[in-house]
Amino acid sequence: MNTRVDVFCTPKGGSKSTECEDAWFVEPDRASSIQRFAIADGATDSVFSGLWARLLVDAFGQNMLDGYDSYDFFDLLSFNQQEWQRKVDRRGNLPWYVEEKAKKGAFSTLLRLTLYDNFYWEAFAVGDSCLFHVRDEKIIERFPLTDSSSFGSSPFLISSKPSSNRGLFNKIHGINYRWMPYDIFYLMTDAVACWFMQSDERGFQPTHLIRDLSQRGFESLIEMLRHENLIRNDDSTIIRVELLDF
Amino acid sequence: MAYTAEISRNSPACIIFLIDQSGSMEDPFGGSEDSQKRKADGVSDATNRLLQNLVIRCAKEDGIRDYFHTAVLGYGDQKVGSAFIGALTGKELVPVSEIGASPARVDERIKEKEDGAGGLIKETVKLPIWFEPVCKGGTPMCAALLKAKELVEGWLAKYPNGFPPIVINITDGEATDGDPSVPAAELRKLASSDGEVLLLNLHLSSQKATPIQFPDNKEGLPDEFAKRLFDMSSLLTPSMRNEAQNEKITTSDNTRGFVFNADMISVIKFLNIGTRPSNLR
């Protein structure tokens, strides 16, 4: 199984690239029989969100799990919650406002895709980062949200504090299906995912627009969409995974 | 749709607090269990907590994002002016980062909270203080609202398309310089392209009546001052009402930004500056 992978990312308009709170993980071995990809979107309304998003994608991107409903998932989550807290505590001498806000923890979405060389794929997600399965320029699967009206400003997210994750188990969505050579998977954070879905709903075939993007082309596209008020101003990330012929 | 303009560093929002520092604030505060607490203590507590929540809302690990510019105008003793003390003395509209960096002092209190395993743990909580209680002289609320109007006009000239300015008046409602409904109505007519200015009122009373948050009618309000402040208050915007729902506060199309003997901290949560997790409390 061979894949071609590209990642495009641009921070929220008016922000520096170091302030971007989206994170991603891509399989380093593109010829591997099992390949994992993960994307996470740290919440604007918490501190050390970017750190939390990176811990999540690295942990869940690198680790094989029995399933998201297994003890493995929650063990891995617990380990990384402690790691987040250790890294925050090491900062020391935080201003009063960061110290108070850090007590509430950080929050992030998480979406992970696993591809198997037996033509199966599976994914799980918490929050509104989305996966699109595209075949012959048509979107054949949208996950976990299925229409653009589902995007809101208050999704349930994974917290770095255990006490804020009550009910998390019921908020994890899963899916599995089959892939074919030349299929493309897109993992997107919410602002660009919402635009992509809306655009498709209106019949504009956005798959053409992002099929052969470069980073510069992506930045220009997002800038144009923001200028036209067609996309919310937010960190925007796309991972594109193309299944090549064997 | 109105009240949907982005609040960001490129397009910040303006929040002006008007705080009653008149002699009548010396009277007891009916909204407190502590019989020693005066309305002036209620005002300074409410203002300090609102600013604390605003700063925390804008805080990131690399600093405070200037999503808001804020003024705090005190009115009493026949004058209206900046109520800041310490490093911010005399300043009117300032970016929220300056407020976060310059409390007059930071108190510490021990608070008990649940440990998630059925027990309680003690936690040190930091409480920044920007204001001390002040109670002297008459209540020039009309002059305060006119001063707020002046600041808002200046703001709208710079940011004509941003989220509309928000004015929060914290008072016991007894104006001594005329009927405040008139300047309140003039203030609320000002607008950006995204909507009219929002005037919210936090009424602190000596009456020990039941606290009320965001009512949609005057029935049940305990006195004429409360009813007048309710009438002066703007309707909550649709997105504020959605956020209120998330905070388990019931609203209707007639709900106004009025609170009686309770806090208004939830208003800070109602402002949309980006993704706010539904499980963040």
Side-chain angles (χ1 to χ4, degrees), chain A residues 5-243:
Chain A
V5 181
D6 296 287
V7 182
F8 308 110
C9 180
T10 190
K12 181 173 178 167
S15 298
K16 300 178 243 184
S17 56
T18 49
E19 293 171 345
C20 183
E21 292 173 320
D22 286 355
W24 62 89
F25 173 89
V26 297
E27 175 61 54
D29 179 1
R30 309 290 165 79
S32 172
S33 56
I34 302 176
Q35 297 188 26
R36 288 183 290 275
F37 306 88
I39 198 168
D41 178 356
T44 310
D45 222 337
S46 57
V47 285
F48 300 107
S49 306
L51 167 64
W52 181 230
R54 280 193 298 281
L55 282 170
L56 286 175
V57 295
D58 286 344
F60 289 92
Q62 289 168 26
N63 279 278
M64 180 64 92
L65 299 173
D66 278 343
Y68 62 81
D69 55 350
S70 66
Y71 287 119
D72 284 353
F73 179 95
F74 289 94
D75 279 348
L76 193 54
L77 181 62
S78 177
F79 175 83
N80 281 281
Q81 285 168 334
Q82 291 168 56
E83 183 61 12
W84 180 88
Q85 193 62 62
R86 268 193 293 271
K87 285 183 186 285
V88 169
D89 290 344
R90 269 205 296 270
R91 292 282 287 252
N93 287 326
L94 295 172
W96 69 265
Y97 43 84
V98 178
E99 203 179 306
E100 286 306 301
K101 198 160 182 177
K103 288 177 186 168
K104 295 182 188 285
F107 292 77
S108 176
T109 69
L110 177 63
L111 164 65
R112 188 184 89 170
L113 166 70
T114 306
L115 300 172
Y116 300 93
D117 67 353
N118 62 358
F119 299 99
Y120 276 89
W121 64 268
E122 65 182 13
F124 70 79
V126 178
D128 56 5
S129 294
C130 290
L131 175 73
F132 300 93
H133 181 183
V134 174
R135 180 175 297 158
D136 299 326
E137 305 293 350
K138 285 195 179 51
I139 303 175
I140 60 172
E141 194 66 62
R142 298 158 183 78
F143 171 80
L145 303 183
T146 54
D147 63 86
S148 61
S149 63
S150 305
F151 288 90
S153 62
S154 301
F156 188 101
L157 302 180
I158 305 183
S159 175
S160 64
K161 293 282 181 183
S163 56
S164 292
N165 281 329
R166 286 195 194 109
L168 171 59
F169 181 74
N170 294 323
K171 298 291 186 183
I172 308 174
H173 302 276
I175 189 171
N176 55 70
Y177 201 41
R178 291 175 64 92
W179 60 266
M180 289 171 58
Y182 308 117
D183 281 356
I184 304 180
F185 289 88
Y186 294 99
L187 292 80
M188 301 186 188
T189 51
D190 65 318
V192 66
C194 182
W195 160 75
F196 191 67
M197 231 184 260
Q198 248 172 11
S199 199
D200 182 66
E201 287 161 3
R202 290 171 186 169
F204 294 135
Q205 295 190 302
T207 50
H208 290 300
L209 268 180
I210 64 172
R211 175 72 178 81
D212 295 306
L213 268 184
S214 61
Q215 173 64 24
R216 186 173 281 186
F218 177 69
E219 287 170 10
S220 300
L221 172 65
I222 297 298
E223 193 180 331
M224 185 273 293
L225 292 174
R226 285 173 183 165
H227 184 71
E228 300 294 319
N229 279 326
L230 293 172
I231 194 171
R232 201 165 51 81
N233 183 18
D234 197 2
D235 298 334
S236 296
T237 302
I238 296 179
I239 304 175
R240 182 175 63 204
V241 183
E242 186 173 2
L243 278 305

Side-chain angles (χ1 to χ4, degrees), chain A residues 21 45-46 48 103 157, chain B residues 6 56-57 60-61 124 279:
Chain A
E21 292 173 320
D45 222 337
S46 57
F48 300 107
K103 288 177 186 168
L157 302 180
Chain B
E6 177 189 66
I56 289 176
R57 188 90 206 271
K60 297 300 276 186
E61 56 270 28
T124 305
N279 46 327

Side-chain angles (χ1 to χ4, degrees), chain B residues 230-268:
Chain B
F230 173 84
D231 283 336
M232 278 164 55
S233 303
S234 301
L235 293 170
L236 286 190
T237 68
S239 62
M240 284 177 165
R241 288 184 48 210
N242 274 341
E243 296 296 333
Q245 205 98 348
N246 291 335
E247 298 292 318
K248 310 276 188 278
I249 297 171
T250 308
T251 65
S252 74
D253 287 345
N254 298 317
T255 296
R256 291 190 186 241
F258 172 77
V259 166
F260 173 81
N261 274 4
D263 72 61
M264 210 182 238
I265 287 168
S266 42
V267 163
I268 306 302

